[in-house]
Amino acid sequence: MAKHKGRGWNSRLLAAALGVTTLAAAASVWTAQADPLGGRQPQARVPAPEVTKVAADIAHASDRGARGVNITIDDGPDPVWTPQVLQLLKDSGVKATFCMVGTQAQMYPDLVKAVVADGHRLCNHTVSHDTTMDTKSEEYQAQQILDAERMIIKASGGVRSQYYRAPGGAFTPYSRKLAASHGMRPLGWNVDSRDFERPGADAMVATVKNEISGGPTVLFHDAGGDRSQTVAALREVLPWLKEEEYVFGFPVR
């Protein structure tokens, strides 16, 4: 899988993530809540949902079989583009998998909850979308994955990510096994719309039409810049896939 390079927002996310990681490391299992008498009583956090055991190899297939298609949406949530993508999916009757960056999820928890409420699935896309994390230490990889897991669970109101997608496909054997041990199936893709390059909606549509026969998992984005072309491409691609008798599903777990 080709790595996505040259995306200037990574550095901003990384800076935010470093501050978040410091706070997360210092957080207690207990949070204080003021009582009517002015004292403070400890309140236990809501426990994380139970982990389901999954395989550590990278998934590409659809749970809907040979004619299944998995729409995956990366890098959000974003206050401008995620609502538009959600509305388009709802109008089309399509469920998708949203691969969320931890800092984005933390900033926009209402959007995370909206994704879940519409019946879509969540995917952990790390804290800061570092496409070079496969060159970093195991400690760093663990921080990126596990801190994002905590952020997404909190933002969603207790819903766990079912998948883990490494930024730019920067998987390692360690990161795959770690994610799987937390119930997140490593998730690849077959069709890269390359919408992050903004080649025009027509070019994205042509890419999907030309490459969908090679595998079911299609990659789009709802954050990281202007995604108006992505919305336009999805508006054309989704009905075309239905006309071609594809059915929409989720990646296998």
Side-chain angles (χ1 to χ4, degrees):
M1 291 179 288
K3 294 197 178 208
H4 296 170
K5 300 294 187 181
R7 296 163 64 183
W9 69 299
N10 290 350
S11 59
R12 295 194 297 273
L13 281 176
L14 184 57
L18 291 174
V20 169
T21 301
T22 301
L23 291 173
S28 169
V29 177
W30 298 92
T31 56
Q33 181 180 36
D35 67 19
L37 299 178
R40 301 187 71 83
Q41 300 294 330
Q43 179 182 4
R45 285 183 178 174
V46 175
E50 185 177 348
V51 173
T52 300
K53 187 175 181 179
V54 295
D57 58 311
I58 299 173
H60 295 87
S62 174
D63 64 3
R64 296 298 301 275
R67 299 299 292 177
V69 171
N70 309 318
I71 301 298
T72 64
I73 312 291
D74 282 22
D75 298 358
D78 179 271
V80 175
W81 303 110
T82 302
Q84 295 185 46
V85 171
L86 283 174
Q87 188 61 54
L88 182 56
L89 293 170
K90 182 179 291 186
D91 293 344
S92 302
V94 173
K95 304 303 181 187
T97 300
F98 283 76
C99 300
M100 295 188 174
V101 174
T103 50
Q104 295 292 108
Q106 185 175 50
M107 284 190 288
Y108 306 110
D110 288 346
L111 289 177
V112 182
K113 293 179 177 69
V115 168
V116 172
D118 281 359
H120 306 293
R121 289 186 181 179
L122 301 179
C123 171
N124 180 326
H125 205 31
T126 74
V127 171
S128 60
H129 200 278
D130 181 356
T131 59
T132 67
M133 64 180 289
D134 56 340
T135 68
K136 306 291 179 60
S137 69
E138 290 183 353
E139 180 181 12
Y140 176 84
Q141 294 175 55
Q143 171 262 312
Q144 285 285 309
I145 295 168
L146 300 182
D147 281 6
E149 179 186 31
R150 288 187 284 270
M151 293 175 192
I152 292 169
I153 289 174
K154 181 177 180 181
S156 68
V159 178
R160 186 181 290 280
S161 296
Q162 297 193 38
Y163 309 94
Y164 163 65
R165 175 174 275 168
F171 290 100
T172 65
Y174 173 79
S175 67
R176 289 190 290 104
K177 290 178 182 177
L178 178 65
S181 73
H182 284 254
M184 296 177 283
R185 179 73 184 268
L187 176 59
W189 63 83
N190 305 102
V191 182
D192 183 354
S193 69
R194 304 196 73 79
D195 59 343
F196 65 94
E197 295 179 348
R198 293 192 280 278
D202 290 345
M204 297 178 206
V205 171
T207 296
V208 174
K209 290 182 176 181
N210 291 336
E211 298 183 13
I212 193 62
S213 62
T217 303
V218 185
L219 171 62
F220 287 101
H221 296 80
D222 64 343
D226 183 341
R227 296 297 170 219
S228 57
Q229 293 181 11
T230 299
V231 173
L234 282 168
R235 188 173 289 115
E236 184 173 344
V237 160
L238 298 180
W240 177 83
L241 288 166
K242 290 183 178 181
E243 290 169 4
E244 295 296 311
E245 300 184 344
Y246 287 98
V247 291
F248 296 96
F250 295 110
V252 294
R253 297 232 314 137

